[in-house]
Every structure is written in C-alpha cells, then in structure tokens.
C-alpha cells in the first residue's frame, strides 16, 4: 500500500457513540497495544472516546486511500520515552498524515497528504477560565477575548487552533502562549503556511463541540450521525 489517491484531506467528526457505530467491531480494528491502553482507562466514557478516536482515524485514512479500515495499522511513538503515545502514523502508508482527538463524548480524526493535526473540545457552557486563557494566549489575544461578546467560545476556538498546530509540530504545549494566532471572527484563518479549518457542532440534544484541523491542503469535513454545524461557523464540505 502507500499509493495516495485524490488530493485534499478528509476529516470526520462525530459523537462518540456514532463513531463507534460507524466503525463496527472496534476491538477488531485496533492493535493489542491500543486495546491495552484503552482497557487501562478507569472511566467507561474515556474508554469509549479512546476506542472511537482510534477507529475513526482508520475510517478517514481508508476513505482517502480507497481501502478497508480493517487493513490499516496505526502506531504511536514518543521521542522522549518508550511509551506508545505521541504523533500517530500509518504503517501501511507512511507518507499519509493522520491525527485524531477526543473529548467528553466527541471524537474527530483526519487523514491528509502531509503533516496534519486535529483537535476537538466539548463545549459544555459555563464561564471562561481566565487562568487557562492567560497560559494559552498572548496579551493581544487576551485583549481580543475580553472584547468578544462570548469570550469562552472565542477562547475554545483559539485553543483548538493552537492544539492542532502543536500536533503538526510547530510548537509544544508549553509554548501555546507564544503562538500568535489571529483572533478572527467566524472565518477560518491561515497561520503562516497552514490552513486552519474550524468547526463548531451541536447535536439534537443540545450538546456541542469545537474543533480545528491544521494542514497545508484543503480538508473536507464530514459529519457522522445526527450532528450539524452551528450557524456561526463554517463547516467545509
């Protein structure tokens, strides 16, 4: 394997349950290492989020490569320790960039032709944690958040943008405050050579999530199950 198909990347986002349903027999998809990591999680919800994200990234890669998700192997390695975490890669197609993320009840994944990063965060309401904002944002960004009519949601958008850039390797988590990402309105921005594809989703029960993909090419977002893009943010198709 390894022959890449059409240009452009594919991202999938869904509630965890919808992703698990789309993947079928999830435990047959994942490696023993992935299953062991999942089984070590104490919370059933956390286990489901983990399994769903690791399955969803195979669905993305399979769609892009034109092959069954069952034929793909995802591995992770860390440059600082021997634990099986860190940036994922596809054994069968090393040139394909893959990334996944999970949060409380939501998962997202992406496959693209080159480096790519994705993040998703649950939008559970409540006030903005300004202490966290001060760690993740610079003074210009903080000023823009203070002037925004909904600073919590504006911060969530900045957070997922920066996390997606961390996942492509342009910075570390400790350097989030040094990433000067413009605080745009509803239009997804670019950051240097990277396209930042934003979305905000809601389900029919009123829950929501905010996400972002960082890639050097156009990424098409597909939604699984009864979720819809919020009217305030574009959902690229």
């Amino acid at each position: 394997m390894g022959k890449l198909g059409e240009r452009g990347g594919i991202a999938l986002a869904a509630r965890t349950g919808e992703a698990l349903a789309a993947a079928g027999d999830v435990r047959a998809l994942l490696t023993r290492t992935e299953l062991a990591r999942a089984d070590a999680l104490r919370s059933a919800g956390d286990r489901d989020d983990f399994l769903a994200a690791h399955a969803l990234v195979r669905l993305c890669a399979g769609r892009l490569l034109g092959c069954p998700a069952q034929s793909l192997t995802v591995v992770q390695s860390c440059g600082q320790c021997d634990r099986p975490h860190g940036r994922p890669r596809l054994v069968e197609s090393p040139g394909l960039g893959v990334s996944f993320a999970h949060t409380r009840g939501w998962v997202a994944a992406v496959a693209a032709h080159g480096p790519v990063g994705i993040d998703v965060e649950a939008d559970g309401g409540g006030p903005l944690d300004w202490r966290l904002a001060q760690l993740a944002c610079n003074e210009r960004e903080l000023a823009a958040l203070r002037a925004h009519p909904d600073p919590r949601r504006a911060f969530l958008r900045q957070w997922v943008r920066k996390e997606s850039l961390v996942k492509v390797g342009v910075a570390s988590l400790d350097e989030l405050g040094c990433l000067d990402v413009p605080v745009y309105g509803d239009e997804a921005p670019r950051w240097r050579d990277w396209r930042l594809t934003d979305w905000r989703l809601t389900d029919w029960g009123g829950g929501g999530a905010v996400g972002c993909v960082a890639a050097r090419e156009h990424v098409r977002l597909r939604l699984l199950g009864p979720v819809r893009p919020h009217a305030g943010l574009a959902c690229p198709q």
Side-chain angles (χ1 to χ4, degrees), residues 4-45:
L4 302 181
E6 61 180 298
R7 303 307 298 172
I10 295 176
L12 296 174
R15 293 295 312 224
T16 294
E18 296 294 338
L20 291 174
D25 187 357
V26 176
R27 298 189 73 88
L29 284 179
L30 274 59
T31 65
R32 291 181 180 179
T33 299
E34 289 171 300
L35 293 175
R37 291 181 62 195
D39 291 340
L41 298 172
R42 295 183 179 182
S43 164

Side-chain angles (χ1 to χ4, degrees), residues 11 14 25 27 29 32 37 44 50 66 68 75 82 101 103-105 119 142 152 171 178 188 201 203 212 235:
D25 187 357
R27 298 189 73 88
L29 284 179
R32 291 181 180 179
R37 291 181 62 195
F50 182 100
V75 295
D82 295 329
T103 185
R104 299 180 305 277
D119 191 48
L142 289 170
R152 177 184 58 81
C178 300
L201 305 176
D203 63 20
C212 183
C235 177

Side-chain angles (χ1 to χ4, degrees), residues 11-16 19 49 52-54 56-57 60 99-103 106-110 118-121 167 199 201 210-213 221-222:
L12 296 174
R15 293 295 312 224
T16 294
D49 293 339
H54 284 246
L56 197 62
V57 75
C60 286
S99 181
F100 54 81
H102 52 84
T103 185
W106 293 88
V107 291
V110 63
I118 195 168
D119 191 48
V120 63
E121 295 291 336
K167 290 188 176 183
W199 73 88
L201 305 176
V210 177
C212 183
V213 173
L221 175 65
R222 298 287 185 262

Side-chain angles (χ1 to χ4, degrees), residues 85-162:
H85 63 173
R87 187 175 302 172
R89 61 183 176 86
L90 199 63
V91 172
E92 292 80 7
S93 185
L96 194 73
V98 293
S99 181
F100 54 81
H102 52 84
T103 185
R104 299 180 305 277
W106 293 88
V107 291
V110 63
H113 306 276
V116 66
I118 195 168
D119 191 48
V120 63
E121 295 291 336
D123 184 3
L128 170 60
D129 183 346
W130 283 101
R131 292 175 298 178
L132 179 59
Q134 289 170 353
L135 291 174
C137 298
N138 58 36
E139 288 301 322
R140 186 195 58 78
E141 291 172 310
L142 289 170
L145 292 179
R146 294 187 184 100
H148 197 279
D150 192 340
R152 177 184 58 81
R153 284 185 172 170
F155 170 70
L156 274 180
R157 190 163 53 205
Q158 285 299 98
W159 178 270
V160 295
R161 287 172 176 175
K162 292 191 175 193

Side-chain angles (χ1 to χ4, degrees), residues 58 62 151 211 219:
R58 287 166 165 85
V219 173

